[in-house]
């Protein structure tokens, strides 16, 4: 049961590997970026999983509630920052792909590399 | 509170707030002047902080008045002061020298945005160095990396784009690995403050997640620092970046990643995990030795001038790691001194290359045949900095190699092998520097090739300033050595 109980973390590992595989194995630059996004999203899940406190509710103080258990808000804040970083990275990556398409007229990494070798 | 007490925060705030201002300045000359002013101010603050730290005080600054471990703390000690000097110094020197060179490579209407990116790199790198919070390091690392990608992509060759894409992928993977590691440590200790982490890890019963975290953090930062064999992004990124950007990046960006690696490892893990020092050494020393050998060999056979120097940087990162891998006072001192000295050496060399780039369209070794007679001042500065790269006595490079060899000799039989590698790779450095010198002075200029004029005065003067700094810190090494020794003492802490 211990293993099944940690299914969040199994999903984290699976997503991480799927993203990593796409980054390494795909030749298409857009697919690489999609892989990179999945790779980063996996880490968001890791952070969100760890902040859950058993029986805890949303970390907003309720007047009158005594002995209320709250989930840890800090990892949520951290991952909000990391999501912003992820968006910026994807946006910048896509911008570079647009420039590569203009300069090489392809978004396949191997084709661009072949053109560089000829030059 | 006086303004001086706010210096640790201002170190980051000044370049970061100047960046959007510069982006809105539509006049490139004004944008350049604003960037230079912010960078020079950052350098002045770094000098002031260094003087305070040299007095034996380390500074803790609570952001927003929230005390550690609840708030984010900025911590300045000798190690961070040294890195701050390198980062802000390299930025100021490159900007001061580089206006003419940048005008050739960056379109005028794009320059304000380019300079805004430059300031963000400066703010990010300074931020990594001053902060004492693990997650803060991640955020600053991404600020500086994203801006760096932009600067590198500004290069005139279209291959800048493919190499920056590779850099972006590998840099992001490195940063994400670091983030996973920090998350795992947070899970086990409940803190993000580096000093606090070190206290609490000792109380953790199940150390497996901590070990996994140590692996992720080491790999992630090694990717960022271009430790062999994770250096694949570095040669092309350095080669196709605008020449002045290469000066800035080669002097400091990988060193800042190494700084985080050392700080994290020694402050958080070294005292708390059984046998961690042996694992650290056992993992990094072979990589360092391989990096030194392979980097130097690749440089010997490389035909592009900038890529040749970039491969030599891979070897130099190996020297820094080798020193740190000894896990001794002398070893760490030599590694940290080499961070400073190598920044001086590579800064001067790439500035000389930028001078060459003012009159040459392509920068292959064969293209500079006979240039020594047409650009005597540039090539003389190159030779001087080259001597420092080799490690000739009297130059800065000699000081770090001397300390490194002393540290290696403490290690017994393995140490003798390390000394052999260091000396062998210095000889390889003689070979690749000599190849350039020989071509430049004894080669014949091709018939019909353009006559090269000497580079404009500002860039030439600063190239010489950087080259002479190599001599100065070779003859009077007290400042970096003192800072490095203090830093090494602080890192080793209890282990001494």
């Amino acid at each position: 049961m211990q293993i099944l109980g940690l299914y969040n973390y199994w999903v984290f590992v699976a997503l991480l590997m799927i993203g990593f595989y796409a980054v390494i194995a795909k030749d298409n630059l857009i697919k690489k970026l999609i892989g990179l996004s999945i790779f980063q999203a996996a880490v968001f899940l890791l952070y969100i999983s760890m902040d859950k406190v058993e029986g805890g509710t949303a970390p907003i103080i309720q007047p009158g509630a005594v002995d209320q258990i709250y989930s840890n808000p800090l990892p949520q804040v951290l991952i909000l920052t990391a999501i912003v970083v992820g968006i910026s990275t994807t946006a910048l990556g896509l911008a570079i792909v647009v420039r590569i398409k203009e300069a090489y007229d392809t978004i396949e990494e191997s084709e661009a590399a072949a053109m560089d070798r000829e030059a | 509170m006086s303004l001086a007490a706010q210096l640790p925060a201002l170190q980051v705030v000044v370049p970061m707030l100047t960046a959007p201002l510069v982006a809105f300045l539509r006049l490139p000359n004004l944008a350049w002047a604003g960037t230079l002013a912010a960078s020079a101010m950052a350098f002045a603050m770094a000098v002031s902080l260094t003087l305070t730290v040299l007095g034996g005080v380390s500074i803790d600054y609570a952001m927003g008045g929230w005390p550690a471990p609840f708030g984010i703390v900025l911590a300045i000690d000798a190690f961070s002061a040294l890195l701050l000097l390198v980062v802000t110094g390299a930025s100021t020197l490159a900007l001061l020298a580089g206006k003419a060179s940048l005008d050739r490579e960056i379109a005028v209407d794009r320059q304000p945005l380019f300079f805004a990116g430059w300031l963000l790199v400066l703010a990010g790198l300074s931020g990594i160095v001053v902060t004492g919070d693990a997650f803060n390091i991640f955020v600053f690392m991404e600020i500086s990396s994203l801006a760096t990608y932009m600067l590198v992509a500004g290069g005139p060759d279209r291959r800048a784009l493919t190499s920056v894409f590779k850099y972006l992928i590998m840099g992001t993977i490195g940063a994400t690995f670091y983030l996973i590691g920090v998350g795992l440590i947070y899970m086990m200790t409940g803190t993000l403050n580096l000093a606090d982490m070190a206290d609490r890890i000792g109380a953790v019963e199940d150390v497996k997640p901590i070990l996994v975290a140590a692996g992720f953090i080491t790999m992630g930062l090694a990717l960022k620092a271009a430790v062999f064999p994770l250096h694949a992004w570095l040669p092309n990124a350095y080669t196709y970046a605008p020449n002045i950007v290469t000066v800035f990046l080669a002097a400091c960006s990988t060193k800042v990643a190494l700084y985080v690696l050392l700080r994290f490892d020694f402050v958080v893990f070294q005292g708390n995990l059984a046998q961690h020092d042996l694992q650290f050494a056992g993992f990094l020393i072979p990589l360092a030795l391989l990096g030194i050998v392979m980097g130097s060999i690749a440089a010997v056979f490389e035909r592009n001038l900038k890529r040749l120097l970039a491969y030599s940087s891979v070897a130099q990162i190996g020297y820094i790691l080798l020193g740190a891998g000894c896990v001794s006072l002398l070893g760490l001192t030599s590694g940290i001194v080499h961070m400073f000295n190598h920044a001086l050496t590579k800064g001067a060399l790439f500035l000389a290359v930028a001078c060459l780039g003012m009159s040459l369209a392509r920068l292959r070794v064969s293209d500079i045949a006979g240039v020594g007679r047409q650009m005597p001042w540039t090539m003389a500065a190159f030779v001087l900095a080259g001597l420092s790269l080799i490690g000739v006595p009297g130059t800065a490079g000699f000081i770090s190699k001397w300390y490194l060899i002393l540290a290696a000799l403490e290690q017994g039989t393995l140490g003798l092998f390390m000394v052999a590698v260091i000396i062998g790779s210095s000889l390889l450095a003689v070979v690749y520097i000599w190849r350039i010198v020989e071509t430049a002075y004894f080669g014949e200029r091709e018939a019909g090739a353009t006559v090269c004029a000497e580079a404009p005065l500002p860039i030439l003067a600063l190239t010489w300033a950087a080259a002479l700094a190599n001599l100065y810190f070779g003859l009077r090494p007290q400042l970096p050595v003192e800072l490095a020794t203090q830093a090494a003492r602080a890192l080793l802490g209890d282990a001494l």
Side-chain angles (χ1 to χ4, degrees), chain B residues 139-300:
Chain B
V139 174
F140 280 127
M141 200 148 72
E142 283 309 83
I143 292 177
S144 68
S145 304
L146 288 170
T148 306
Y149 306 147
M150 189 194 122
L151 296 191
V152 175
D157 194 309
R158 70 175 180 178
R159 275 170 287 186
L161 297 171
T162 40
S163 44
V164 91
F165 190 84
K166 198 179 200 178
Y167 186 9
L168 179 131
I169 296 279
M170 298 187 92
T172 308
I173 291 174
T176 310
F177 270 17
Y178 174 80
L179 189 62
I180 296 172
V182 170
L184 289 173
I185 295 184
Y186 178 76
M187 205 152 85
M188 300 312 285
T189 62
T191 181
L192 289 168
N193 180 304
L194 287 181
D196 202 32
M197 255 179 208
D199 287 343
R200 293 209 204 171
I201 283 188
V204 173
E205 277 174 16
D206 184 4
V207 292
K208 254 187 214 148
I210 306 280
L211 291 177
V212 175
F216 270 115
I217 289 174
T218 310
M219 287 310 284
L221 292 171
L223 244 174
K224 284 265 176 200
V227 172
F228 183 87
L230 306 171
H231 65 279
W233 58 267
L234 183 139
N236 275 347
Y238 279 16
T239 307
Y240 298 116
N243 290 337
I244 288 298
V245 173
T246 313
V247 174
F248 184 27
L249 293 186
C252 53
S253 70
T254 52
K255 263 137 239 146
V256 170
L258 279 175
Y259 162 88
V260 182
L261 180 62
L262 295 189
R263 166 139 295 195
F264 221 110
D265 207 274
F266 280 89
V267 171
V268 178
F269 297 134
Q270 210 63 271
N272 293 310
L273 297 175
Q275 302 223 304
H276 185 74
D277 50 345
L278 287 179
Q279 291 163 1
F280 179 76
F283 180 65
L284 287 179
I285 287 184
L287 291 187
L289 290 174
L290 272 174
I292 293 172
V293 175
M294 302 307 280
S296 302
I297 291 178
V300 167

Side-chain angles (χ1 to χ4, degrees), chain B residues 420-493:
Chain B
V421 170
I422 295 167
I423 293 176
S425 113
S426 301
L427 291 177
L428 287 174
V430 174
V431 174
Y432 60 74
I433 292 293
W434 174 249
R435 243 180 77 214
I436 299 169
V437 171
E438 186 191 18
T439 323
Y441 282 99
F442 302 110
E444 280 302 325
R445 203 92 188 102
E446 270 178 45
T450 45
V451 178
C452 297
E454 191 57 273
L457 187 63
I459 184 165
L460 192 61
L462 281 150
T463 309
W464 267 94
L468 289 175
N470 276 296
L471 269 188
Y472 178 81
F473 286 110
L475 298 172
R476 298 179 63 88
Q478 285 87 346
L479 171 76
V481 170
E482 172 64 33
L483 280 172
T485 315
Q486 260 194 44
R489 263 212 192 94
L491 284 183
L492 285 169

Side-chain angles (χ1 to χ4, degrees), chain B residues 345 348-349 351-353 355-356 368 370-389 395 433 436-438 440-441 454-455 460-471:
Chain B
T345 311
L349 284 171
L351 269 173
V353 170
C355 285
L356 292 172
I368 61 165
V371 164
R373 285 183 297 272
Q374 293 174 354
M375 300 175 77
W377 286 98
T378 303
M379 280 318 293
F382 188 95
V383 170
L384 194 55
L387 290 177
S388 180
L389 188 70
T395 60
I433 292 293
I436 299 169
V437 171
E438 186 191 18
Y441 282 99
E454 191 57 273
L460 192 61
L462 281 150
T463 309
W464 267 94
L468 289 175
N470 276 296
L471 269 188

Side-chain angles (χ1 to χ4, degrees), chain B residues 2-368:
Chain B
S2 70
L3 194 62
Q6 313 289 350
L7 282 184
L10 287 176
Q11 190 78 57
V12 184
V13 169
V14 167
M16 191 171 270
L17 289 189
T18 321
L21 293 180
V22 163
F24 287 123
L25 290 174
R26 298 319 298 174
L27 297 170
N29 285 333
L30 208 57
W32 171 74
T35 310
L36 179 60
S39 174
M41 208 196 269
F43 182 60
M45 288 190 279
V47 170
S48 154
L49 284 172
T50 308
L51 291 177
T52 320
V53 168
L54 270 179
V57 239
S58 52
I59 308 165
D60 281 322
Y61 178 92
M63 274 313 264
W66 295 89
F70 307 108
I72 290 169
V73 65
L74 304 183
I76 314 267
D77 61 4
F79 198 6
S80 20
L82 185 87
L83 262 289
L84 275 180
L85 279 183
V86 169
V87 170
T88 56
S91 157
T92 312
L93 198 71
L95 281 170
L96 207 54
K99 184 71 177 93
S101 173
L102 285 174
D103 282 341
R104 283 172 62 94
E105 289 178 316
I106 312 276
V108 170
D109 57 328
R110 287 191 185 162
Q111 281 191 7
L113 290 173
F114 174 86
F115 284 122
W118 184 293
L119 282 171
L120 286 178
V121 176
L122 180 62
L125 293 178
S126 317
I128 298 173
V129 173
V130 297
T131 188
D133 180 281
F135 193 80
N136 224 211
I137 290 178
F138 166 75
V139 174
F140 280 127
M141 200 148 72
E142 283 309 83
I143 292 177
S144 68
S145 304
L146 288 170
T148 306
Y149 306 147
M150 189 194 122
L151 296 191
V152 175
D157 194 309
R158 70 175 180 178
R159 275 170 287 186
L161 297 171
T162 40
S163 44
V164 91
F165 190 84
K166 198 179 200 178
Y167 186 9
L168 179 131
I169 296 279
M170 298 187 92
T172 308
I173 291 174
T176 310
F177 270 17
Y178 174 80
L179 189 62
I180 296 172
V182 170
L184 289 173
I185 295 184
Y186 178 76
M187 205 152 85
M188 300 312 285
T189 62
T191 181
L192 289 168
N193 180 304
L194 287 181
D196 202 32
M197 255 179 208
D199 287 343
R200 293 209 204 171
I201 283 188
V204 173
E205 277 174 16
D206 184 4
V207 292
K208 254 187 214 148
I210 306 280
L211 291 177
V212 175
F216 270 115
I217 289 174
T218 310
M219 287 310 284
L221 292 171
L223 244 174
K224 284 265 176 200
V227 172
F228 183 87
L230 306 171
H231 65 279
W233 58 267
L234 183 139
N236 275 347
Y238 279 16
T239 307
Y240 298 116
N243 290 337
I244 288 298
V245 173
T246 313
V247 174
F248 184 27
L249 293 186
C252 53
S253 70
T254 52
K255 263 137 239 146
V256 170
L258 279 175
Y259 162 88
V260 182
L261 180 62
L262 295 189
R263 166 139 295 195
F264 221 110
D265 207 274
F266 280 89
V267 171
V268 178
F269 297 134
Q270 210 63 271
N272 293 310
L273 297 175
Q275 302 223 304
H276 185 74
D277 50 345
L278 287 179
Q279 291 163 1
F280 179 76
F283 180 65
L284 287 179
I285 287 184
L287 291 187
L289 290 174
L290 272 174
I292 293 172
V293 175
M294 302 307 280
S296 302
I297 291 178
V300 167
F301 291 104
E302 180 53 53
R303 278 177 304 186
N304 182 305
L305 194 53
K306 281 175 88 180
R307 203 183 284 120
L308 184 155
L309 292 176
Y311 275 121
S312 142
S313 278
V314 174
Q316 306 294 321
I317 292 161
Y319 287 125
I320 300 173
L321 266 189
L322 186 62
C326 291
V327 199
S328 63
L329 186 60
L330 259 179
L332 269 175
T333 309
S334 73
I336 297 168
V337 167
H338 198 54
M339 285 188 185
F340 183 86
N341 288 343
H342 176 242
L344 279 180
T345 311
K346 268 290 147 54
L349 284 171
F350 273 117
L351 269 173
V353 170
C355 285
L356 292 172
M358 293 299 291
S359 5
L360 293 165
R362 300 182 70 172
L363 288 169
R364 288 168 310 185
V365 175
S366 55
D367 290 325
I368 61 165

